[in-house]
Amino acid sequence: MMTVRETSLEMTRNIGIMAHIDAGKTTTTERILFYTGKIRKVGEVHEGAATMDFMIQEQERGITIGSAATTTYWKDCCINIIDTPGHVDFTVEVERCLRVLDGAVAVFCAKGGVEPQSETVWRQATKYGIPRIAYVNKMDIVGADFFNVMQMMRDRLAAEPIAIQIPIGSEEEFVGVIDLVQMKAYVYYDDEGNDVREESIPEHLLELADEYHAKLVEAAAESDEELIDKYLDGLELTCDEIRRAIRKATIENKLIPVCCGSSYRNKGVQLLMNAIVDYLPSPLDIPPAVGVSMDGTREIEAPADANAPFAALAFKIVSDNFVGNLAYCRIYSGKLTSGSYILNATKNKRERLSKILRIHAASRQEVEEACAGDIVALVGLKDTVTGDTLCAVNKPIIMGAMEFPDPVIKIAVEPKTKAGQEKLNQALNRLMIEDPTFKTYTDGETGQTIIEGMGELHLDIIVDRLIRDFKVECSVGSPQVAYRETITKTVKHEVRYIKQAGGHGQYACIVVEFSPQKPGEGYAFENCTVGGVIPKEFAVAVDKGIQSAAKNGYLAGYEVIDFKARLLDGSTHEVDSSELSFTIAGAQALREALAKAGSVLLEPFMKVEVLMPDEYTGDVIGNLSQRRSKVENMAIRANLQVIHAMCPLSEMFGYATDLRSRTQGRGMFVMQFDHYEQVAPAVAKKLLGIL
């Protein structure tokens, strides 16, 4: 065994590779591993041989499903890399990884530019204040346009990209890149990335290179007070000064350095790795992680220091048949030793750590200890789930919790044999621990096991894993939409819950006002009673009862969302009142009030982007209209027609096949959940008639 820390914190980079699906994230990661000597042979995604796509489901589909971690070295720098999925159904993988990373590489297709999921992952990175560099990949494909991608970054992402490289040619004529810091050309004379020659900038690109070099120098000077005077005096900035200034602006999220290349053709990847080392932060360059004390009264910092108290965040749980659950953790401060006891501060439970593992995709290496700045997997933690804070037993700290979107689609699964029910339940529980966006429950009326997820592909992968990984033979029902209910008007309702039956009875009297909230505001509770007519603990019980009743609505049993409950008045009995009686009264109040509060059905609407050749536009728009979709705008992108629309999820089942048939296989689309919207009366009537 060995220790993890082989380099200093200054020479450590914790980064994520993020992008829209098929932009080349995994291919880029594969090349990074090859050129850093981590692997000896490049595996291709389309052949199912990529190192980071090790799940059988990933290899068959040619897409990344689960985030994969690895550690490699470049220029004496330790780089911990997490390769994230690009498909919207697995956006939770991006969310929880960005939560613990220090920097990110945003990969953009040179033809498609800023695509829908690019915007989603960019917003996620902005949410956590992650410094980024951009890599414009696929410069060798037809329609590649480096400068158009930079403009799309400005228009769609409100970003400030600054080119640190520009391409030498494009499409079939892409042969290398110009380094704008050193003002040198790197020309590739083979497709293996072995014959790379440093040359003078080609004559026909000299003027363009000078123009973008001047922009780079100006941006560097503006971001560093020490350099601005030198720049204004007309003195030339050195390469080190430019790098230092651009690094400072990148870490402060003021600039996005932009590189280019073709990972599949092995061009530009080494220069991208140089940029990762030069511009992305080390754990020491970012503010210390901040948590709170166990009672929530004071803030506590977790500095990137191996001598500080231990503090880490579990950002992913992976179920393993041999060692149980693996808890992927980012260590923010302190040191962790194999076999030690630690505190799960979120649950206030002590855990004993049996092993520490360094992860390389599907393989693992046991280490004796891990320190601040490391990303490792821990074995032996029984109560830890995604988002839990782990810390020293005598120095408790709780980091901020992770938030995950609710599922929007569900299906029924049934084991083919009675004996398989327990096996199914165990498998589903393990999958829920792994994936916070996956939910399962038993329908109280039908007795069916229902699984919920973020999309058709998400549930397809879940079912595939049930059959293959967990050996559960099961039948699957048709996909169903996760509808919701809400109220449209304010109502005030009184409930008197009184039961007397020998000994202590039950007594609760409450007056509650229910009112609608704006879409997306969720549920809120307010105790408006005065003079202590309802003790605080009973008010909390009313809130608990209302939330419990909200899980089954009035119209069709769907969850009730976006409403506010105000406890206005009530009374208690000195003997018979209890928390249970007020919980029951709260639930009863909501159930009875829904009947007169104007309950309506809500359905999930998806943001959809459709790309196809122009000749199919009319047919595609007509089909979207038949699916109750609202076309918001249209645009031309790289000789393709792009349609942006809002579509009800219930109408989008089977759309991939429909679109392919209407466009002779040349159309494609992506969609992601956007919001809930009231179901049209005619559709609601039809739905309620068959429920």
Side-chain angles (χ1 to χ4, degrees), residues 427-461:
L428 292 176
N429 286 334
R430 287 174 66 178
L431 289 169
M432 275 200 298
I433 291 172
E434 287 189 17
D435 185 352
T437 60
F438 169 66
K439 307 291 182 188
T440 180
Y441 65 93
T442 301
D443 189 299
E445 293 184 1
T446 65
Q448 287 181 306
T449 299
I450 307 296
I451 61 174
E452 296 182 307
M454 300 304 297
E456 286 184 274
L457 179 59
H458 187 195
L459 293 184
D460 183 39
I461 297 297

Side-chain angles (χ1 to χ4, degrees), residues 607-654:
K607 183 193 294 184
V608 178
E609 182 179 275
V610 187
L611 295 88
M612 72 278 158
D614 186 58
E615 60 263 33
Y616 305 109
T617 304
D619 193 16
V620 170
I621 289 179
N623 181 247
L624 286 173
S625 297
Q626 291 174 0
R627 295 173 180 267
R628 298 192 288 121
S629 303
K630 294 174 281 191
V631 175
E632 296 189 322
N633 60 68
M634 298 170 60
I636 298 291
R637 185 192 306 165
N639 301 319
L640 291 175
Q641 186 69 247
V642 184
I643 300 172
H644 296 274
M646 283 292 175
C647 311
L649 176 61
S650 60
E651 302 287 351
M652 297 304 289
F653 295 130

Side-chain angles (χ1 to χ4, degrees), residues 410 445 481-488 515-520 522-523 549-564 590-591 593-604 676-679 684 687-688 691:
K410 59 184 179 181
E445 293 184 1
V481 176
Y483 291 97
R484 296 287 185 264
E485 297 183 23
T486 193
I487 59 177
T488 58
S515 57
Q517 297 232 88
K518 293 179 181 177
Y523 165 75
K551 293 178 181 177
N552 295 285
Y554 167 71
L555 292 175
Y558 293 110
E559 183 180 350
V560 184
I561 62 172
D562 297 334
F563 73 98
K564 184 175 184 177
L590 178 63
R591 282 195 291 264
L594 287 175
K596 51 185 180 181
S599 293
V600 293
L601 272 182
L602 302 175
E603 63 179 331
Y676 273 94
E677 192 172 303
Q678 185 174 338
V679 176
L687 278 170
L688 295 174
L691 289 170

Side-chain angles (χ1 to χ4, degrees), residues 368-385:
E368 293 177 349
E369 65 176 31
C371 303
D374 288 327
I375 294 176
V376 291
L378 307 182
V379 180
L381 308 183
K382 296 179 180 179
D383 296 307
T384 299
V385 297

Side-chain angles (χ1 to χ4, degrees), residues 269-539:
V269 179
Q270 297 98 321
L271 295 177
L272 170 63
M273 291 188 287
N274 290 344
I276 290 171
V277 173
D278 289 342
Y279 303 114
L280 288 180
S282 75
L284 296 175
D285 293 319
I286 59 173
V290 177
V292 296
S293 57
M294 294 284 280
D295 57 8
T297 58
R298 58 190 176 89
E299 286 192 348
I300 303 173
E301 284 192 349
D305 182 355
N307 297 315
F310 169 68
L313 188 71
F315 66 92
K316 179 173 179 174
I317 305 296
V318 175
S319 180
D320 186 277
N321 291 327
F322 300 102
V323 298
N325 289 342
L326 290 175
Y328 283 56
C329 294
R330 161 66 190 268
I331 301 178
Y332 287 103
S333 65
K335 184 184 294 185
L336 186 62
T337 307
S338 183
S340 59
Y341 282 93
I342 55 178
L343 177 68
N344 181 331
T346 308
K347 293 185 171 64
N348 196 19
K349 289 186 177 181
R350 284 214 324 169
E351 299 253 41
R352 186 181 182 278
L353 171 67
S354 59
K355 292 181 182 179
I356 304 173
L357 304 176
R358 190 197 321 227
I359 300 297
H360 173 53
S363 62
R364 302 149 190 170
Q365 178 184 20
E366 188 173 346
V367 294
E368 293 177 349
E369 65 176 31
C371 303
D374 288 327
I375 294 176
V376 291
L378 307 182
V379 180
L381 308 183
K382 296 179 180 179
D383 296 307
T384 299
V385 297
T386 300
D388 283 356
T389 302
L390 304 173
C391 60
V393 175
N394 60 343
K395 295 286 185 180
I397 178 177
I398 299 178
M399 306 283 191
M402 296 185 186
E403 296 178 359
F404 302 111
D406 292 328
V408 296
I409 186 172
K410 59 184 179 181
I411 58 175
V413 293
E414 292 181 352
K416 291 187 176 179
T417 63
K418 282 189 177 182
Q421 185 64 55
E422 185 176 350
K423 199 174 180 182
L424 173 64
N425 292 339
Q426 290 175 349
L428 292 176
N429 286 334
R430 287 174 66 178
L431 289 169
M432 275 200 298
I433 291 172
E434 287 189 17
D435 185 352
T437 60
F438 169 66
K439 307 291 182 188
T440 180
Y441 65 93
T442 301
D443 189 299
E445 293 184 1
T446 65
Q448 287 181 306
T449 299
I450 307 296
I451 61 174
E452 296 182 307
M454 300 304 297
E456 286 184 274
L457 179 59
H458 187 195
L459 293 184
D460 183 39
I461 297 297
I462 291 289
V463 172
D464 193 52
R465 290 197 62 194
L466 283 174
I467 296 170
R468 288 188 176 182
D469 299 354
F470 297 98
K471 313 300 181 188
V472 177
E473 291 296 323
C474 57
S475 303
V476 181
S478 300
Q480 295 180 342
V481 176
Y483 291 97
R484 296 287 185 264
E485 297 183 23
T486 193
I487 59 177
T488 58
K489 54 189 178 184
T490 301
V491 296
K492 186 160 61 174
H493 190 71
E494 180 180 1
V495 167
R496 297 176 66 85
Y497 177 70
I498 304 172
K499 280 197 172 183
Q500 204 68 44
H504 287 310
Q506 297 285 349
Y507 180 94
C509 178
I510 57 172
V511 179
V512 188
E513 179 186 85
F514 298 98
S515 57
Q517 297 232 88
K518 293 179 181 177
E521 287 190 350
Y523 165 75
F525 178 82
E526 184 179 356
N527 182 7
C528 300
T529 59
V530 293
V533 294
I534 303 288
K536 183 179 179 181
E537 62 270 22
F538 290 167

Side-chain angles (χ1 to χ4, degrees), residues 536-547:
K536 183 179 179 181
E537 62 270 22
F538 290 167
V540 171
V542 172
D543 180 18
K544 181 181 175 183
I546 292 171
Q547 291 191 57

